[in-house]
Structure formats: C-alpha cells, structure tokens
Amino acid sequence: MAEVVQARVDAWTWAVRLFPTRSAAGAACRGGHVRVNGERAKPATTLVPGDEVRARVGDRERVVVVQRLIVKRVGAPVAVTCYLDRTPAAPPKEHVALAAQRDRGAGRPTKRDRRVIDRLRGR
C-alpha cells in the first residue's frame, strides 16, 4: 500500500469507505453533498493530510479529518486509520407512539386507522 502525495476527494471517500461505490462518491460531490474545509468539492478536488471533509451519507453528515491519503479501497480496519472521525453523535431516535402499533393478525388498517397512524407518526 503505497502512500500518495495527493488524492482526489471522490477516490479517497470511496477508499476509506464513506461511500459504497466510487460513482456514488462522485455523484455526491457533483450534488454538493461533500465539502472540503467548508467549500463545496468537485470530484477532482485534491486532498492533503489535515483537510476536513464533510460528507452527507444517507441521512447523516459525516465529519472526518484526513490523516493519510490512499486511493485504493482497503479493509475497514485499515480505512479507519486513514481519518479522524469528528462526526457528532446521532440524536436519539424518537419513539413511535404505542397506539400506532397493531396487534398481529388484526388485518389491514382501515382508511380511518391509517390516517390516525400517519398523524401519530407526524406525517
């Protein structure tokens, strides 16, 4: 595993397993979901150690500081050593009201039941 002097942000985020595919990493960059040091990053933006990368992955925002540059995808234990994770803790999930749960075998909810369930879930 040879270290490189510079790495593209799309290749690096894929290599350290922030994104499942390189094309997903590139699409996230093009969509404005990846920022390097506070600036929107194009897929070809180069990284250097010490850069802060903010990436929206699913419904969370990951905040990592580049420790080591790699361009080849590596195993998860090795990938973790390439960045310092500064992602804030996820907020606790809100519990769904117990009234929205139906007994097993109760059949499909009626239209009125569905409206009540949706109202309880905040939709």
Side-chain angles (χ1 to χ4, degrees), residues 95-103 113-114 116-118 120-121:
H95 294 285
V96 177
L98 294 176
Q101 294 180 353
R102 296 178 54 84
D103 293 330
D113 292 340
R114 171 59 56 203
V116 170
I117 292 169
D118 286 345
L120 288 172
R121 289 184 178 165

Side-chain angles (χ1 to χ4, degrees), residues 6-108:
Q6 293 180 340
R8 292 170 53 114
V9 70
D10 63 339
W12 187 81
T13 54
W14 166 74
V16 297
R17 297 174 173 265
L18 291 181
F19 292 100
T21 63
R22 177 134 182 218
S23 61
C29 291
R30 285 187 298 277
H33 301 291
V34 177
R35 294 182 173 271
V36 175
N37 297 326
E39 301 290 324
R40 284 179 63 165
K42 293 181 179 179
T45 301
T46 56
L47 292 175
V48 294
D51 282 347
E52 179 186 74
V53 177
R54 291 178 174 266
R56 173 138 316 265
V57 181
D59 59 347
R60 291 186 59 199
E61 182 178 43
R62 300 283 309 268
V63 181
V64 296
V65 177
V66 178
Q67 297 285 66
R68 191 171 64 172
L69 297 175
I70 59 173
V71 291
K72 297 282 187 182
R73 192 162 170 97
V74 294
V78 177
V80 172
T81 65
C82 297
Y83 62 86
L84 183 61
D85 198 353
R86 301 224 185 240
T87 304
K93 291 185 176 182
E94 296 179 19
H95 294 285
V96 177
L98 294 176
Q101 294 180 353
R102 296 178 54 84
D103 293 330
R104 188 175 180 98
R108 292 181 56 174

